[in-house]
């Protein structure tokens, strides 16, 4: 018995990164494609309108894949074609969203289906080919294909005496350069 699950897709292709850490994406993800999921367990919490997938969660739609240790699926309670209408995914624990040519990794990920926005937080790394960009937060607008990475951190690192060692951060990266004759 499977409930329809809509997967977040990484639609921003980071072939050119402009000042301000924004990029223009490629074609939009086909959110009408069938969704498949696998997990070690599923807990349905119908009164709370959610389901919790845990244990090596893998969600696929078309050529997109989301993996995480745990994903909470929120739904509205409205039933369409015998299944609840999914409104949000909250993923935690080694979250990876990938397409054949790019991969984004973070500690946490949120996909707001109604807004069609993916937000990944905590130690974000976005890789395409030999190009890598790292930061604290990645936001992807699935309608426009625009992605932005900033240095915001999930939390603040403190020394044993309570003083702040690191708060937030900067965006860092490496771009490959084609070989020239």
């Amino acid at each position: 018995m499977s409930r329809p699950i809509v997967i977040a897709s990484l639609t921003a292709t980071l072939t050119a990164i402009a000042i301000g850490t924004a990029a223009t994406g490629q074609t939009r993800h086909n959110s009408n494609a069938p969704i498949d999921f696998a997990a070690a367990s599923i807990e349905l919490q119908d009164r709370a309108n959610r389901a919790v997938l845990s244990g090596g969660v893998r969600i696929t739609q078309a050529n997109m894949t989301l993996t995480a240790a745990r994903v909470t699926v929120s739904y509205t309670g409205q039933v369409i074609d015998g299944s609840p209408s999914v409104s949000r995914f909250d993923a935690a624990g080694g979250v990876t969203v990938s397409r054949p040519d790019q991969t984004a990794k973070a500690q946490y990920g949120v996909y707001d289906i109604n807004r069609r926005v993916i937000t990944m937080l905590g130690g974000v790394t976005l890789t395409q080919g030999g190009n890598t960009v790292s930061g604290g937060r990645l936001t992807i607008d699935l309608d426009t294909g625009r992605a932005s990475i900033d240095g915001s951190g999930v939390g603040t690192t403190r020394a044993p005496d309570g003083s702040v060692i690191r708060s937030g951060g900067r965006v860092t990266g490496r771009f490959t350069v084609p070989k020239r004759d």
Side-chain angles (χ1 to χ4, degrees):
M1 172 173 96
S2 68
R3 300 206 184 235
I5 295 179
V6 181
I7 186 172
S9 64
L10 183 59
T11 60
T13 301
L14 292 178
T15 55
I17 296 184
I19 302 296
T21 67
T24 302
Q26 62 183 28
T27 60
R28 291 177 16 170
H29 173 65
N30 178 9
S31 60
N32 293 321
I35 310 282
D36 295 309
F37 72 90
S41 66
I42 182 170
E43 177 184 337
L44 298 174
Q45 302 171 352
D46 281 335
R47 289 186 179 170
N49 288 337
R50 69 179 167 229
V52 179
L53 302 169
S54 59
V57 179
R58 182 177 177 86
I59 300 171
T60 59
Q61 182 179 40
N63 63 352
M64 304 287 173
T65 302
L66 169 88
T67 59
R70 177 183 169 107
V71 176
T72 301
V73 181
S74 300
Y75 49 92
T76 63
Q78 178 184 13
V79 176
I80 299 172
D81 294 329
S83 298
S85 177
V86 176
S87 60
R88 179 178 167 127
F89 285 107
D90 290 274
V95 179
T96 301
V97 177
S98 61
R99 291 178 61 142
D101 63 340
Q102 58 195 1
T103 301
K105 295 181 179 185
Q107 294 172 349
Y108 307 99
V110 175
Y111 175 37
D112 185 327
I113 294 169
N114 297 328
R115 291 181 45 223
R116 294 188 47 80
V117 173
I118 299 169
T119 305
M120 296 181 77
L121 302 165
V124 175
T125 302
L126 183 59
T127 305
Q128 179 179 3
N131 302 321
T132 301
V133 179
S134 298
R137 179 175 56 194
L138 165 66
T139 303
I140 305 165
D141 182 318
L142 297 174
D143 286 333
T144 65
R146 185 175 174 95
S148 62
I149 296 178
D150 65 41
S152 298
V154 170
T156 301
T157 305
R158 296 188 180 273
D161 66 359
S163 63
V164 174
I165 295 173
R166 191 182 74 141
S167 179
R170 297 178 54 85
V171 176
T172 60
R174 172 170 283 190
F175 301 108
T176 57
V177 178
K179 292 183 180 182
R180 298 186 182 125
D181 292 331

